[in-house]
Amino acid sequence: MTAADAAVRVRDSLEEVFDAVGRTASDTESVLASAVADGRRPVSTDLAALRPCLHACLAQYDLVSGLGFVAAPGLLDDVPAWLEWWQTTTDGAVHPLLLDLDPEHSAYSDYTHWDWFTLPRDTGQRVVAGPYVDYLCSDEYSITLSSAVTIGGRFMGVAAADVYLRHFEAVVMPLLQRLPGPARLVNARGRVAASTDPHHLVGSLTRGPDFAAVLAGPEIGTEHGGQQLRPCNGIPLILVTAPPPAERR
């Protein structure tokens, strides 16, 4: 398998997750636009209209463990913050995430510092955040895929999907292992999402190149420090490969 082949396969696996994120974003924009058209601010109960699509996506996409809309603080008229978030349990049941978001009592009330929220808000781009221990939703080591929800250019929040890292690795590690040399997948921050390179462990940061610039650059990628950096064909992950040992000698 070539690096180009592996990048395409990674893209294909995560485009399904971004499809769920995109459907959630589209439905959310419709719900919020309807409230605006009625001349009022949206409220949390408006977001109940998202649930049929969220449940359907959780049933359809095997990699997605949690899915929903995370409102920008102050967006809703009845609550200061809100997650319309649903997730699956080990037996396949779907249930809502219930959090106390009262800023006077809850450590989870300010979710705006997480990469999955700040990066779509600040860049307008799709994001793969993590891996990290998801204390907010599942206490699982996860990655989160997200995109901004906007109405008339105004940021309303993010649509997002969680993927447990163990499920992600089950899909991508066989691809990386078929490459001739050490390989890893990193996000726009340089954080390692999967790796066969013992010098770059999952969750660590890769320093050096501007990974966001690589993602915005040509599809064939670039070279840095003797390694090839190849964007995963529209997915905000970069495949970093090194020459096999025989070629480095």
Side-chain angles (χ1 to χ4, degrees):
M1 174 176 286
T2 68
D5 294 332
V8 169
R9 296 279 293 277
V10 171
R11 176 204 64 191
D12 291 346
S13 64
L14 287 187
E15 275 295 358
E16 292 190 351
V17 181
F18 270 123
D19 183 59
V21 172
R23 289 168 62 180
T24 302
S26 179
D27 280 7
T28 305
E29 288 167 2
S30 295
V31 168
L32 298 178
S34 179
V36 172
D38 290 341
R40 62 178 180 85
R41 290 178 61 193
V43 294
S44 58
T45 53
D46 290 329
L47 299 174
L50 303 178
R51 294 172 187 175
C53 180
L54 297 178
H55 293 187
C57 286
L58 286 167
Q60 179 178 350
Y61 300 105
D62 292 337
L63 276 179
V64 178
S65 59
L67 180 68
F69 169 67
V70 184
L75 171 69
L76 304 176
D77 196 42
D78 59 330
V79 289
W82 188 261
L83 285 80
E84 184 61 41
W85 195 266
W86 292 73
Q87 48 198 163
T88 54
T89 56
T90 53
D91 61 359
V94 176
H95 64 91
L97 175 67
L98 301 175
L99 290 175
D100 179 7
L101 295 176
D102 185 337
E104 294 186 3
H105 306 105
S106 174
Y108 303 115
S109 61
D110 182 11
Y111 42 72
T112 61
H113 63 283
W114 294 96
D115 280 354
W116 50 258
F117 190 91
T118 60
L119 290 176
R121 180 195 65 195
D122 297 344
T123 69
Q125 303 297 314
R126 301 192 304 180
V127 167
V128 176
Y132 62 100
V133 179
D134 186 4
Y135 293 115
L136 186 66
C137 296
S138 66
D139 291 332
E140 284 263 4
Y141 211 27
S142 305
I143 62 173
T144 300
L145 285 65
S146 58
S147 65
V149 174
T150 60
I151 301 291
R154 178 191 170 195
F155 176 74
M156 299 290 189
V158 300
D162 282 342
V163 176
Y164 293 154
L165 185 66
R166 51 191 167 89
H167 295 161
F168 176 65
E169 287 186 321
V171 172
V172 303
M173 284 298 286
L175 304 175
L176 301 186
Q177 289 165 348
R178 291 173 62 187
L179 295 171
R184 63 192 184 276
L185 289 166
V186 304
N187 65 16
R189 296 280 203 197
R191 191 166 299 280
V192 179
S195 176
T196 61
D197 187 340
H199 300 293
H200 296 277
L201 301 180
V202 170
S204 64
L205 282 172
T206 298
R207 304 190 183 278
D210 183 341
F211 290 105
V214 174
L215 287 171
E219 185 176 299
I220 61 171
T222 186
E223 186 177 324
H224 179 85
Q227 297 181 316
Q228 184 66 31
L229 282 62
R230 178 181 290 272
C232 290
N233 302 87
I235 290 291
L237 285 176
I238 296 166
L239 177 60
V240 182
T241 55
E247 294 184 15
R248 294 199 298 269
R249 288 197 295 266

